[in-house]
């Protein structure tokens, strides 16, 4: 029985590949795609999502969502993904977004469905707005796989923060404390051996399919940007890594539950995902530190390690046909 998926995305080049993985997966029933401002303005993100859905010959609605963060100014990543978010190749969809607001679609769908896998690939603005208007929808979500944050490691947009959480830290903080069953897939998991190296990219190109061509061509800007951002010779694909885990939880080989919070006040550490890796907030010894024992219950399952080969196989299967 296919599992119900909702995908919230700031659709740029890595999001697009993650969408393909879900849309082409035989066990995923994608109920809809909701778009949020992030990598690119929300209208451009919707255009990119529509193009990707059409390329997959899928019949899945794409809804326009929040065009700015809850409190902060919109921030985009044109330098990384290109002005249009898809490597400035010139992809244009035939269709238009669905009528209606993404947040209303999320609320309506989650009010009428259960056992949903919610995958978030961008800033968490839409999710925060949906939960604020209908807190009960949390119970309809079986898994919430979040591409976001950096667990006890460096960020990609500041030394402390990853883009999706940094762009709307207030939304991220609300969502992490909403009661959603969050599985956090940090930016660190798409780097190093998890990147597509030259051999991997040559292998994908050898598929000769329209999806394989698109996946590589729309990420041509991102490939250059990865090297500039973190010295990676390979192509980092954070959203597809998160989607591979949403499609197959076994790809996350080391996961543990911890208290996680988000910095929203400091400019230096805005958007930092503060992970209580050693559960020190639960320890009597820290009563002195906190004044009283303010145990912080674990609210997030943090992914620390993935099966790199399985992640890449998941990607290849989606592009091969
Ligand atoms: O930091 C990486 C994340 O920010 C990815 O989701 C990428 O698409 C951007 O949204
Ligand atoms: Ca994204």
């Amino acid at each position: 029985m296919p599992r119900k998926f909702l995908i919230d995305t700031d659709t740029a080049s890595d999001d697009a590949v993650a969408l393909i993985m879900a849309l082409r997966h035989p066990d995923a029933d994608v109920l809809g795609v909701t778009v949020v401002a992030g990598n690119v303005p929300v209208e451009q993100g919707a255009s990119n999502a529509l193009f990707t859905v059409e390329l997959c010959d899928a019949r899945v609605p794409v809804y326009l969502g929040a065009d700015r963060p809850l409190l902060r100014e919109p921030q985009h990543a044109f330098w990384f993904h290109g002005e249009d978010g898809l490597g400035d190749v010139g992809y244009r969809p035939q269709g238009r977004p669905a009528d209606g607001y993404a947040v209303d679609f999320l609320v309506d769908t989650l009010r009428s469905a259960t056992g949903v896998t919610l995958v978030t690939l961008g800033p968490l603005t839409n999710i925060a707005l949906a939960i604020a208007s209908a807190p009960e929808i949390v119970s309809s979500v079986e898994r919430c796989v979040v591409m976001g944050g950096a667990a006890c490691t460096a960020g990609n947009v500041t030394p402390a923060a990853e883009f999706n959480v940094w762009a709307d830290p207030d939304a991220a903080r609300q969502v992490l404390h909403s009661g959603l069953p969050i599985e956090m897939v940090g930016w660190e998991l798409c780097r190093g051996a998890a990147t597509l190296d030259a051999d991997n990219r040559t292998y994908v190109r050898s598929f000769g399919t329209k999806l394989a061509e698109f996946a590589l061509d729309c990420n041509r800007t991102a490939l250059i940007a990865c090297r500039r951002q973190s010295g990676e010779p390979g192509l980092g694909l954070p959203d597809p890594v998160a989607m591979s885990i949403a499609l197959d939880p076994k790809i996350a080989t080391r996961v543990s539950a911890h208290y996680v919070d988000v910095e929203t006040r400091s400019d230096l550490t805005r958007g930092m995902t503060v992970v209580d890796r050693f559960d020190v907030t639960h320890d009597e010894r820290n009563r002195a530190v906190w004044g009283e024992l303010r145990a912080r219950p674990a609210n997030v399952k943090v992914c620390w390690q993935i099966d790199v080969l399985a992640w890449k196989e998941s990607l290849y299967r989606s592009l091969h046909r």
Side-chain angles (χ1 to χ4, degrees), residues 10 12 14-15 39 81 121-123 147 156 162-164 187 238-239:
D10 59 340
D14 66 318
D15 303 68
N39 284 318
H81 297 281
L121 306 175
M147 192 283 122
N156 58 3
E162 174 279 328
F163 177 82
N164 286 338
W187 176 62
D239 293 338

Side-chain angles (χ1 to χ4, degrees), residues 189-203:
L189 295 173
C190 80
R191 293 173 48 208
T195 63
L196 295 194
D197 64 22
D199 290 342
N200 298 152
R201 300 194 303 275
T202 301
Y203 177 57

Side-chain angles (χ1 to χ4, degrees), residues 71-91:
L71 303 175
R72 316 297 170 123
E73 286 306 306
Q75 302 288 346
H76 304 307
F78 299 126
W79 77 272
F80 195 95
H81 297 281
E83 288 302 310
D84 69 2
L86 294 180
D88 297 327
V89 177
Y91 302 114

Side-chain angles (χ1 to χ4, degrees), residues 54-55 91 95 137 183 210 306:
E54 291 167 7
L55 196 68
Y91 302 114
I137 62 175
E183 299 170 38
K210 62 180 181 178
I306 66 168

Side-chain angles (χ1 to χ4, degrees), residues 106-108 110-111 127 130-131 134-141 180:
L106 287 167
V107 170
D108 295 343
L110 290 171
R111 275 181 169 154
I127 310 305
I131 292 170
E136 75 278 7
I137 62 175
V138 165
S139 63
S140 299
V141 179
L180 274 173

